[in-house]
Amino acid sequence: QGFKRGFSPLLCKRKALLQRYWTRSFLASTAAQKHAQIRQRLNQSKQSKMLAPRKTLWSTPGVGVEAACQLLRLGAQDKVIDVGCGDGRFLLEAAKRGASAVGLEIDAERAEAARANGCVDVRTCNALDEAEWSKAFDDGVTCAFLYLVP
C-alpha cells in the first residue's frame, strides 16, 4: 500500500540505505579531495612564504641601525648580511663603517629602492631559500642582521 508497483518495503529501505551510503561516501570523498587540495596549496605556499609574514613592511629606524652597528663593532674586516634589507638603511651604515654588505629582500620594489639608495649587493630572493642563504654565507659573512618589527 502506497508503494509503487513492483517495489516492496524491503527494496525501498535498501534503496534508502544505498542513497545514504552513496551520499556519505560522496561527501567523504569530496572532503578528502578538498583536504588534499588544501594540503597541496599549503605545501606550495611554504615555498613562497616570507620569513616574517606581515601586511606592513617596516624600515629599520635609524636608532636601531646605529645601535646594531655599535654592538657589532663593524669594520673593514666584516662582511654583513641583512635579511629583509628593505630600503638598505643598515647596509648603507655598515658600508660607511667599512664593512662590505649583502642584502636579501623578498620584495622586488624594496630591493630596487635599496639599490637606488646606493646599496651594491642586494639580492631579490626569499631568505628561506636555502640556495640563496648558502650563497650569501659562502661569501664569508661575519655578521647577520635581522629587524622585523618596530
Side-chain angles (χ1 to χ4, degrees), residues 6-17:
F7 285 95
S8 69
L10 183 59
L11 283 175
C12 288
K13 264 188 178 175
R14 192 177 219 185
K15 185 178 177 185
L17 285 172

Side-chain angles (χ1 to χ4, degrees), residues 89-100:
R89 294 174 187 199
F90 178 77
L91 300 174
L92 292 170
E93 186 61 32
K96 281 182 195 172
R97 294 167 184 257
S100 57

Side-chain angles (χ1 to χ4, degrees), residues 72-80 97-100 139-143:
L72 291 170
R73 298 183 186 151
L74 295 176
Q77 75 283 3
D78 290 308
K79 181 158 189 178
V80 298
R97 294 167 184 257
S100 57
D139 290 344
V141 170
T142 59
C143 303

